[in-house]
Amino acid sequence: MLALLCTLAFALAALIAVAAILATMHGRGAQIAALWAEYRSLRADREFLVQITSHGPAPARTQAIIAAMPAARRHGQRAFRPGEAARPSRHLRAAA
């Protein structure tokens, strides 16, 4: 019985939270619409820039890459030398 009561209490709390979200979104409808319009405008600007800087219309893959965050640069790794593993790592122990 207690489990059923707790389940109903959680369901009621979730329902109240959803109602609060909907009420907030309804009150901020104009601001949300302005944000969507700005997002669409920026997307159209990016597509336009791709088209004028390339030789033809940009393929969908290029548009997806432009929309994504810039990829991290890969740095070359130094070759491992067998003698390096035998060195004591006292400076690491002192930091710990």
Side-chain angles (χ1 to χ4, degrees), residues 91-96:
H91 63 282
L92 295 177
R93 290 187 200 134

Side-chain angles (χ1 to χ4, degrees), residues 3 31 83:
Q31 292 174 342

Side-chain angles (χ1 to χ4, degrees), residues 15-88:
L15 186 64
I16 291 172
V18 169
I21 290 170
L22 291 175
T24 301
M25 287 179 64
H26 180 70
R28 302 286 184 180
Q31 292 174 342
I32 293 171
L35 286 174
W36 276 113
E38 184 178 359
Y39 169 75
R40 285 191 215 107
S41 172
L42 290 174
R43 183 175 169 190
D45 289 345
R46 281 194 308 267
E47 291 174 359
F48 174 72
L49 288 174
V50 168
Q51 287 179 358
I52 64 170
T53 56
S54 64
H55 296 291
R61 187 173 190 277
T62 305
Q63 292 176 359
I65 291 171
I66 291 172
M69 293 181 63
R73 294 184 181 176
R74 300 183 84 194
H75 299 287
Q77 292 183 345
R78 186 170 54 107
F80 176 74
R81 297 184 190 120
E84 291 179 351
R87 292 183 190 169

